[in-house]
Amino acid sequence: MITVFGSINMDLIATTARLPKPGETVAGTGFATAAGGKGANQALAARRAGGTVSMAGAVGKDEFAAPAIALLSEAATGLSKVNHVDGPTGTALILVGGDGENMIAVVPGANGTVSPEDAEAVVAAMEPNDILMLQLEVPPAAVEKALDAARKKGIRSVLNLAPLIADAPRLGRLADIVIANETEFELLAGQEGMTAGDREAALKRLHGETGQTLIVTLGADGVIAIRDGELVRANGLKIEPVDTVGAGDTFCGYFAASLDDGLDFETSLRRAAVAGSLACLKAGAQPSIPLSAEVANKL
């Protein structure tokens, strides 16, 4: 069983020929809404990977609450741990220019109400063999409490260090498994502008200090990880990406589902890397490509 403790958003996406300058109004060329939030994205990916998944978080009591969790509901994700609180559902206001550049403003809304008490209650309902997956779009105090409670109960925790916040290095040391992209890992390691050699050295150093499993996603270059003192690599697919938004969430969801299904670490890593690559072949943040373990293992 996987419990995802994290954010639930509605994305409001407008497209324009170019991004406006400060104080300028430009005509839009399109508009769309999409369910989002890193927590919800990862829960949906884990569910579509075949995992048994429960989502824990919060939505508001507004017109966005139902559509924000509609895809999770359709995928038979457990939603009993999603609180409905006074105020708005979290939103992301996204403006995309004709050249692909974007401007994004995120309003936490209900996500900002998620509390340490909520975290305690979520972990209390879990079993020792479960997996707890977290990100950093809900208050850091709630993430910290969830990680602490999971460790005391013997629950495996997987923390995705995204989005990048000042508390990431401290919180990163509290999880059993940490997933980061290159930029996030540099913050965790306290070293900017890493070469491949620097990255390997930092992985070994941090692993030696904490004993944690550390995973770094490298985009087109695949994934590098360290576990039980050994460096492990996995390749994604050689593709021409359409949109990389959501690829990291897809990776996280498929990785957690693979572990929960009893697959070994290297197979889980490879399956997640392939799923992350396939997610880049479509536009939009929500994971949309179910991928069986049998298919992933043949790629």
Side-chain angles (χ1 to χ4, degrees):
M1 174 75 174
I2 301 165
T3 296
V4 179
F5 183 67
S7 58
I8 304 170
N9 286 341
M10 274 300 292
D11 295 344
L12 311 179
I13 309 158
T15 56
T16 62
R18 62 174 178 81
L19 297 178
K21 299 174 182 177
E24 182 185 19
T25 299
V26 298
T29 57
F31 178 76
T33 62
K38 296 194 70 63
N41 286 349
Q42 292 180 14
L44 185 61
R47 183 70 193 99
R48 287 179 170 171
T52 302
V53 183
S54 176
M55 181 71 213
V59 294
K61 294 180 179 178
D62 60 0
E63 65 274 19
F64 289 149
I69 58 175
L71 288 176
L72 293 172
S73 179
E74 291 169 10
T77 308
L79 297 174
S80 63
K81 299 173 185 175
V82 175
N83 296 329
H84 293 253
V85 301
D86 291 331
T89 298
T91 54
L93 311 175
I94 305 170
L95 193 60
V96 182
D99 60 356
E101 288 295 325
N102 61 65
M103 300 168 65
I104 303 175
V106 177
V107 183
N111 295 315
T113 71
V114 175
S115 68
E117 291 74 23
D118 294 329
E120 260 187 324
V122 166
V123 176
M126 297 176 67
E127 299 295 331
N129 290 329
D130 290 349
I131 292 176
L132 176 66
M133 187 157 60
L134 310 98
Q135 322 75 35
L136 299 175
E137 281 188 331
V138 295
V143 174
E144 182 173 4
K145 176 59 73 174
L147 289 168
D148 181 61
R151 177 163 292 182
K152 289 177 179 176
K153 197 170 180 178
I155 292 168
R156 279 186 295 177
S157 58
V158 181
L159 175 63
N160 178 211
L161 289 185
L164 201 57
I165 64 172
D167 286 308
R170 180 177 61 83
L171 295 173
R173 288 185 170 250
L174 304 179
D176 296 315
I177 301 172
V178 176
I179 300 174
N181 65 22
E182 295 168 84
T183 302
E184 293 154 359
F185 182 69
E186 288 182 0
L187 178 66
L188 182 68
Q191 181 180 350
E192 295 182 359
M194 284 186 176
T195 64
D198 292 335
R199 190 179 302 115
E200 289 187 14
L203 281 166
K204 292 175 181 177
R205 173 176 60 82
L206 290 174
H207 180 66
E209 293 172 359
T210 68
Q212 295 169 293
T213 297
L214 303 170
I215 300 170
V216 185
T217 58
L218 305 172
D221 293 327
V223 185
I224 186 171
I226 190 165
R227 178 176 181 266
D228 295 335
E230 297 292 329
L231 288 172
V232 180
R233 292 175 175 81
N235 295 320
L237 301 178
K238 298 300 182 183
I239 60 168
E240 288 294 330
V242 175
D243 186 348
T244 60
V245 176
D249 292 336
T250 301
F251 176 93
C252 292
Y254 272 80
F255 176 76
S258 299
L259 287 185
D260 192 54
D261 196 38
L263 299 179
D264 64 77
F265 179 75
E266 291 190 35
T267 301
S268 298
L269 204 65
R270 183 170 65 251
R271 185 188 187 210
V274 170
S277 297
L278 291 176
C280 297
L281 294 176
K282 52 84 189 177
Q286 282 285 2
S288 62
I289 305 172
L291 183 69
S292 70
E294 291 76 17
V295 171
N297 290 340
K298 291 177 182 178
L299 295 172

